[in-house]
Amino acid sequence: VAGRDVVRMPRYPTLEPQGMLRGMDYVGTVSFGFSGGGLAALSGMDLLGTCGVGTLTALGGGTIRDALMLGKAPFWTEETEYVTMAVVSAAAAFAAIHYQDLDDKEAAALMDHPAVAITDTLGVAAFCIIGANGALKMAMPGGVAILCGISTATFGGMCRDVLCRRPVRILHSRAELYATCAMAGAATFTAATAMALPGGATTSMFIAFAVACAARTAASMFDLKLPTVRPIRVAP
């Protein structure tokens, strides 16, 4: 994979293909921050805890990728707008639940709103591509690139679930496929990049984005899950 063409995103969204990926990255950051903050608020956390967990949900995957896998400073230390987006979206979730005095059922419905689901899907697709792309830019092996894509898209949610004392979604079949969809997108991007398709990184990006979105949509529509030996047992 080393030496292949990779996606080079501009600092801010544009109407160019790479700039559109940056825009989807923003959409995912806001969506993850909102949903992570909402789950934190529903678990009983205060405003500070909600903003912290929401920010961790949005930025945690990329932080783990950069700090532990790629050995560099987390991306948000330079691109500080991501911290702002995550904190504000988490605070918005807290405000929506607290100041509208939503009960648990109403708050859960807000977290399951179609707009949240759609933006989450777009975020997963963008994150898995960006994670894999970051590894390929550093000439990492394909397997590492796929793992970086999975990490970017899902490890923030894993941290959220641990802090909120919930079964970790990507490790249990409590809900439909999630990490598997990120893996499909990251693997598609890595393979397409290695094949040097006509159109280069832009073609690889669009194909991988479509695969990740299609996988998440199918998983949601048909409630697709991986098999388990026993049902989830939640400790009291």
Side-chain angles (χ1 to χ4, degrees):
V1 178
R4 299 294 191 187
D5 186 25
V6 294
V7 176
R8 304 191 184 279
M9 294 190 300
R11 173 67 183 268
Y12 301 106
T14 68
L15 294 179
E16 298 296 322
Q18 291 82 0
M20 293 172 64
L21 182 62
R22 177 71 76 180
M24 292 299 98
D25 192 25
Y26 279 20
V27 169
T29 299
V30 171
S31 180
F32 281 32
F34 184 86
S35 62
L39 288 174
L42 288 174
S43 72
M45 293 189 187
D46 60 15
L47 178 59
L48 178 61
T50 295
C51 290
V53 171
T55 301
L56 184 59
T57 306
L59 309 183
T63 300
I64 293 172
R65 174 202 68 213
D66 288 345
L68 297 183
M69 299 180 186
L70 301 183
K72 62 180 184 178
F75 67 98
W76 49 264
T77 58
E78 293 183 359
E79 299 171 332
T80 55
E81 60 270 17
Y82 282 92
V83 179
T84 301
M85 286 187 286
V87 171
V88 170
S89 57
F94 182 90
I97 295 171
H98 179 68
Y99 293 107
Q100 295 186 67
D101 195 26
L102 302 181
D103 59 29
D104 287 350
K105 184 177 181 180
E106 292 170 330
L110 176 63
M111 293 298 102
D112 291 334
H113 192 279
V116 176
I118 292 171
T119 54
D120 183 88
T121 295
L122 296 175
V124 168
F127 285 12
C128 71
I129 294 170
I130 291 169
N133 184 68
L136 296 179
K137 285 171 65 176
M138 298 181 68
M140 295 289 183
V144 175
I146 295 171
L147 182 58
C148 284
I150 297 171
S151 165
T152 306
T154 66
F155 281 14
M158 178 177 66
C159 296
R160 172 205 65 209
D161 290 343
V162 170
L163 291 175
C164 293
R165 299 182 181 180
R166 294 160 47 93
V168 177
R169 177 174 184 174
I170 66 171
L171 301 179
H172 300 82
S173 285
R174 176 173 53 88
E176 73 278 357
L177 296 177
Y178 200 87
T180 306
C181 303
M183 180 174 67
T188 299
F189 180 78
T190 301
T193 300
M195 290 187 289
L197 299 174
T202 299
T203 300
S204 301
M205 179 185 73
F206 279 125
I207 293 174
F209 195 89
V211 167
C213 286
R216 274 294 297 141
T217 301
S220 179
M221 289 180 62
F222 301 107
D223 195 28
L224 302 178
K225 300 176 182 178
L226 293 177
T228 59
V229 175
R230 293 182 177 86
I232 297 173
R233 298 174 181 175
V234 180

